[in-house]
Amino acid sequence: MHTEKEILFIAWESPEGGYEAHSPGHSIFTQADDFEELRAMVHDAVSCHFEEDERPSIIRLHLVKDELIVV
């Protein structure tokens, strides 16, 4: 069993309002109305995606602004 040490999420403001986040290399997407809620949703998404003994111990959430997002 291989456990990743950390996982990265790229977050951006949604054109419809709120925020969206995606983890490159994983099929994990989430969204929320505000950034604090997005942080909670990212933790929830990681908990749902990985078994407890396989979860990364570090979650990085990087907010990008005014950049081209390619996912």
Side-chain angles (χ1 to χ4, degrees):
M1 160 187 3
H2 174 69
T3 303
E4 293 180 52
K5 181 179 178 180
E6 67 181 272
I7 188 168
L8 170 69
F9 281 82
I10 305 298
W12 61 93
E13 291 185 55
S14 175
E16 294 84 25
Y19 293 87
E20 299 178 44
H22 169 250
S23 179
H26 298 280
S27 295
I28 308 176
F29 295 85
T30 192
Q31 61 187 30
D33 291 331
D34 59 55
F35 196 75
E36 287 304 312
E37 182 184 6
L38 184 67
R39 291 176 56 151
M41 295 302 290
V42 163
H43 280 273
D44 185 57
V46 169
S47 294
C48 291
H49 188 79
F50 294 96
E51 295 292 330
E52 185 174 351
D53 61 339
E54 296 177 344
R55 284 185 202 134
S57 57
I58 300 169
I59 300 172
R60 296 193 186 276
L61 180 58
H62 180 71
L63 177 62
V64 294
K65 293 187 177 192
D66 301 325
E67 296 182 28
L68 175 63
I69 307 292
V70 179
V71 290

